[in-house]
Amino acid sequence: MIIKKITSIQKLEDFGRVRLSKSFFMRDFLYSEIANHFQIQNFPDHPDIAIRVGQSLCEELLEPLQKKFGRIAIRSAYRSPEVNQLGNEKKLNCANNQKNFANHIWDYPNERGYGATACIVIPSFLDLYEKDQNNWQQLAYWIHNNLPYSRLEFYPKLCAFNINWHEQPLREIHSYIPSKAGILVKGTSPHLDYAQFYPDL
């Protein structure tokens, strides 16, 4: 299905029904508390681009994660420039639009090209994380060793994390979870066998 512009409720419904991968549809990624609360629209200016990068995010990252760990919960994903800008202005944990191009704003490129981010929670991982918050590192190392991500960013609540797919991946891991490790991987990383770092997975 080719959707060049969303100009009606029918086209928005058609857009939401687009299947991005075996388990995910575009509608799964459009929910936004900011958009709901402030009553502004949250859909892309360039739907075809959002579909293309969304398919890569789902097929290359989210489907393998779900196959390994079971159902994943999407906390935040696509943001329109208007939604993201408002979130930034109101200090609602949104970076400015320029930083979110090819991240949460899927249909606009950054200086390296196109990308897409989803903030997700893995329910099956929560028991391990609640035993010891440093266990986020096990999950980070597993992803690093197994998936073609660009950037990971971990947060304390529920061990939610941003996972970014990009045409030119950075292979960076960052964390806001207090730990001695801090940033595990920054910039281009050597291809190491990290299996020893996730014995509980």
Side-chain angles (χ1 to χ4, degrees):
M1 177 182 294
I2 297 175
I3 302 175
K4 293 295 185 183
K5 196 78 174 174
I6 298 171
T7 56
S8 67
I9 184 64
Q10 182 60 55
K11 288 187 177 180
L12 181 57
E13 288 179 346
D14 290 342
F15 179 67
R17 292 186 180 107
V18 172
R19 192 179 187 186
L20 299 178
S21 66
K22 178 181 177 181
S23 306
F24 298 100
F25 292 83
M26 181 59 76
R27 193 173 189 271
D28 300 326
F29 299 90
L30 299 180
Y31 179 80
S32 164
E33 282 97 349
I34 295 171
N36 283 351
H37 182 78
F38 293 102
Q39 298 183 341
I40 56 177
Q41 296 174 335
N42 188 47
F43 52 79
D45 296 328
H46 310 285
D48 288 354
I49 295 173
I51 289 169
R52 176 172 63 83
V53 297
Q55 286 172 334
S56 294
L57 172 68
C58 292
E59 291 172 355
E60 297 186 30
L61 300 179
L62 301 188
E63 290 286 3
L65 273 174
Q66 189 156 266
K67 183 176 181 180
K68 170 68 176 177
F69 297 103
R71 188 185 74 86
I72 65 174
I74 300 166
R75 289 284 307 129
S76 174
Y78 176 79
R79 296 182 200 143
S80 69
E82 294 77 17
V83 168
N84 190 80
Q85 181 178 337
L86 183 63
N88 178 253
E89 291 171 356
K90 293 188 175 293
K91 304 186 186 305
L92 298 173
N93 298 317
C94 298
N96 64 44
N97 282 8
Q98 195 67 38
K99 289 183 178 179
N100 255 326
F101 289 153
N103 286 295
H104 282 291
I105 303 174
W106 295 6
D107 53 326
Y108 285 85
N110 61 14
E111 67 280 359
R112 297 180 356 267
Y114 286 97
T117 290
C119 183
I120 66 172
V121 170
I122 299 179
S124 67
F125 181 72
L126 287 180
D127 288 343
L128 185 63
Y129 176 70
E130 287 169 359
K131 289 178 182 176
D132 182 353
Q133 287 199 342
N134 282 324
N135 282 329
W136 72 269
Q137 297 169 58
Q138 293 197 46
L139 180 57
Y141 278 125
W142 187 90
I143 293 171
H144 180 76
N145 211 36
N146 289 278
L147 302 180
Y149 74 97
S150 178
R151 180 182 170 95
L152 301 174
E153 198 165 69
F154 286 81
Y155 303 100
K157 291 182 180 179
L158 301 176
C159 198
F161 62 98
N162 283 344
I163 183 165
N164 173 251
W165 175 90
H166 199 282
E167 293 175 328
Q168 298 185 46
L170 291 172
R171 304 285 287 173
E172 289 185 354
I173 302 176
H174 300 263
S175 175
Y176 291 94
I177 300 172
S179 81
K180 296 179 180 178
I183 297 173
L184 293 179
V185 181
K186 186 174 182 179
T188 302
S189 162
H191 295 287
L192 300 176
D193 180 7
Y194 288 119
Q196 62 178 310
F197 295 103
Y198 44 90
D200 298 322
L201 302 184

